[in-house]
């Protein structure tokens, strides 16, 4: 297949679903790790095409959703400082902290700007030498190379008024934490194709082996996802637990080595808190010692801010595959995209937002 339409072809989807019905002899629970996959699944009704008993649960793969409340609070605190230009991707602006969001800080007259790349923030720093420019560096392995590049560029240009508020997270430790939990229902994973485009597939092999769990690197179009499910279920039925690559058109086994080298040059692995889930050892990135001068937490003295999360939102359970958005009593009533109680309703990749957008009509008629 060469064109996007071919990956959305209804006849091809039906064929894969029929193949799946022939292969599956018993119920299995699979987790798609990436929020982009969750949206495609709900939008195209892929879960409804699966044979009875083959269940997809939604993982912690939305960067906005897993950014902890206390980092949002730190972002707001920095954004409210005099002389600061606080830069972020747009979807972070409405994520609730413990008392407000970045959009409120902007509405109060503070200089909060939406940018499309961390390199835009570097350019802003160069153009505004009398201001402090901070970029909110969230996301998985996919966004880390661009953030690393921003630090490298600021360093080369000798910019002293640029920094990153870093909240990077890594996928393999999250899979490890999910599988190590007694409560886990997950029997196979669809790993996020774009993360593997950067990191390759090698780091998943020890996890597949240790937890005897199939991991299929999967793309984002409906036929990608159905094929990923078919490959994972085939492994489960055959008693195999291997790493397979459904998304070979983008993912090379070794990944993107220059991008990996850049990440390693600028960042090092560190423990990281995940919103709704808690701290996962060695599951994040922080700036390495030679680049700590670009660390906004130290620069603005906000590293000690800690916050407990409100308990009403069950997004942590949703992102661990233990609940679904429609199980949440607040869904669609007290929690909507206009009045979100949790990040999974705010983010364009959040599971609750996907159900709200594509399933609410169905739900309200049942
Ligand atoms: S519906 Fe709202 S409150 Fe419920 S889990 Fe989703 S984001 Fe949290």
């Amino acid at each position: 297949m060469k064109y996007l339409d071919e990956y959305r072809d209804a006849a091809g989807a039906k064929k894969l679903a029929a193949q799946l019905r022939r292969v599956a002899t018993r119920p299995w629970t699979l987790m798609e790790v990436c929020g982009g996959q969750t949206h495609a699944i709900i939008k195209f009704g892929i879960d409804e095409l699966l044979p009875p008993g083959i269940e997809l649960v939604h993982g912690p793969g939305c960067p906005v959703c897993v950014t902890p409340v206390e980092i949002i609070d730190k972002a707001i605190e920095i954004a409210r400082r005099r002389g600061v230009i606080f830069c972020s991707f747009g979807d972070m602006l409405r994520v609730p902290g413990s008392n407000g969001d970045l959009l409120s800080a902007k509405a109060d007259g503070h200089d909060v700007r939406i940018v499309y790349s961390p390199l835009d923030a570097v350019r802003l720093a160069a153009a505004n030498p009398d201001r402090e420019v901070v970029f909110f560096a969230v996301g998985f392995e996919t966004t880390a190379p661009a953030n690393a590049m921003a630090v490298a560029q600021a360093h080369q240009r000798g910019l002293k008024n640029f920094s990153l508020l870093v909240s990077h997270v890594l996928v393999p430790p999250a899979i490890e934490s999910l599988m190590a939990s007694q409560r886990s229902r997950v029997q196979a994973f669809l790993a996020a194709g774009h993360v593997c485009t950067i990191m390759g597939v090698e780091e998943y092999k020890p996890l597949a082996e240790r937890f005897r769990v199939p991991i299929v690197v999967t793309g984002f179009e409906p036929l990608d996802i159905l094929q990923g499910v078919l490959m994972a279920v085939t492994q489960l039925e055959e008693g195999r637990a291997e790493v397979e690559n459904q998304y070979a058109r983008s993912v090379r086994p070794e990944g993107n080595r220059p991008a990996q080298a850049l990440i390693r040059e600028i960042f090092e692995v560190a423990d990281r808190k995940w919103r709704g889930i808690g701290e996962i050892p060695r599951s994040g990135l922080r700036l390495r010692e030679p680049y700590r001068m670009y660390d906004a937490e130290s620069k603005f003295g906000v590293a000690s801010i800690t916050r407990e999360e409100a308990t009403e939102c069950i997004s942590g359970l949703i992102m661990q595959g233990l609940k679904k958005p429609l199980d949440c009593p607040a869904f669609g009533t007290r929690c909507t995209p206009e009045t979100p109680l949790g990040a999974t309703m705010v983010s364009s990749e959040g599971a609750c937002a996907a159900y709200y957008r594509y399933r609410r009509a169905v739900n309200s008629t049942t």
Side-chain angles (χ1 to χ4, degrees):
M1 289 188 282
K2 282 192 295 198
Y3 304 109
L4 192 60
D5 285 354
E6 299 173 44
Y7 291 96
R8 296 184 175 182
D9 169 53
K14 280 188 191 141
K15 212 162 135 188
L16 283 168
Q19 242 178 305
L20 197 49
R21 275 194 293 278
R22 284 195 294 276
V23 169
T25 64
R26 47 168 288 197
W28 298 107
T29 302
L30 283 63
M31 173 179 276
E32 85 278 356
V33 175
C34 169
Q37 291 169 337
T38 305
H39 266 253
I41 288 163
I42 305 303
K43 177 176 178 183
F44 294 103
I46 294 168
D47 51 337
E48 295 168 333
L49 271 181
L50 303 180
I54 305 297
E55 186 186 4
L56 289 173
V57 293
H58 318 307
C62 159
V64 176
C65 305
V66 299
T67 301
V69 170
E70 63 190 36
I71 293 274
I72 306 290
D73 285 2
K74 289 174 189 180
I76 295 167
E77 165 74 28
I78 294 170
R80 289 180 180 277
R81 297 277 175 92
R82 209 182 167 79
V84 165
I85 303 173
F86 193 91
C87 302
S88 168
F89 295 138
D91 47 4
M92 292 307 295
L93 263 55
R94 294 191 60 239
V95 180
S98 61
N99 188 19
D101 54 27
L102 281 165
L103 201 58
S104 322
K106 187 174 169 62
D108 290 345
H110 299 286
D111 197 348
V112 177
R113 301 191 193 181
I114 294 173
V115 294
Y116 298 99
S117 155
L119 300 179
D120 295 341
V122 176
R123 281 189 281 275
L124 265 177
N128 294 275
D130 53 336
R131 309 276 303 271
E132 281 290 336
V133 177
V134 183
F135 180 72
F136 201 177
V138 302
F140 288 87
E141 293 90 331
T142 337
T143 52
N147 290 331
M149 178 63 81
V151 171
Q153 278 201 5
H155 198 59
Q156 274 162 14
R157 299 169 75 162
L159 297 177
K160 303 235 178 327
N161 63 329
F162 173 79
S163 56
L164 291 184
L165 178 60
V166 182
S167 188
H168 267 300
V169 280
L170 303 170
V171 172
I175 291 184
E176 181 174 4
S177 160
L178 285 168
M179 290 312 292
S181 162
Q182 297 290 333
R183 298 194 294 172
S184 175
R185 304 164 53 216
V186 180
Q187 292 164 300
F189 287 94
L190 306 184
H194 49 18
V195 167
C196 299
T197 303
I198 304 294
M199 302 306 293
V201 303
E202 288 302 314
E203 57 186 4
Y204 294 90
K205 289 184 177 168
L207 293 171
E209 239 166 68
R210 178 171 156 209
F211 294 107
R212 296 284 314 145
V213 65
I215 301 177
V216 179
V217 176
T218 304
F220 303 90
E221 294 301 327
L223 265 59
D224 288 324
I225 294 168
L226 276 167
Q227 197 173 36
V229 172
L230 177 62
M231 289 164 77
V233 169
T234 303
Q235 283 203 50
L236 288 164
E237 291 282 345
E238 291 176 357
R240 290 185 290 122
E242 296 165 13
V243 177
E244 290 181 323
N245 186 6
Q246 180 280 329
Y247 201 40
R249 67 182 184 278
S250 289
V251 173
R252 283 176 300 182
E254 73 281 9
N256 180 334
R257 291 230 164 98
Q260 292 164 24
L262 186 59
I263 295 172
R264 278 196 304 272
E265 161 69 21
I266 305 291
F267 294 113
E268 64 188 6
V269 172
D271 298 345
R272 182 67 68 190
K273 230 185 215 181
W274 295 52
R275 189 175 188 133
I277 296 175
E279 184 159 300
I280 303 179
R282 299 181 60 74
S283 68
L285 297 174
R286 69 174 176 201
L287 288 159
R288 272 189 192 285
E289 187 52 60
Y291 302 101
R292 291 272 166 83
M293 69 188 88
Y294 300 103
D295 179 25
E297 286 200 48
S298 319
K299 195 176 218 178
F300 294 93
V302 297
S304 59
I305 293 177
T306 56
R307 295 280 189 273
E308 292 305 316
E309 290 172 28
T311 50
E312 186 174 18
C313 174
I314 63 160
S315 59
L317 298 175
I318 294 169
M319 292 187 289
Q320 294 170 74
L322 301 170
K323 296 268 187 198
K324 296 243 174 121
L326 299 181
D327 298 327
C328 176
F331 179 90
T333 53
R334 277 168 298 120
C335 183
T336 68
E338 288 72 41
T339 56
L341 295 177
T344 43
M345 187 60 96
V346 176
S347 167
S348 55
E349 290 192 1
C352 296
Y355 277 74
Y356 189 87
R357 192 157 173 200
Y358 303 115
R359 284 289 155 82
R360 194 167 49 112
V362 177
N363 189 41
S364 62
T365 59
T366 54

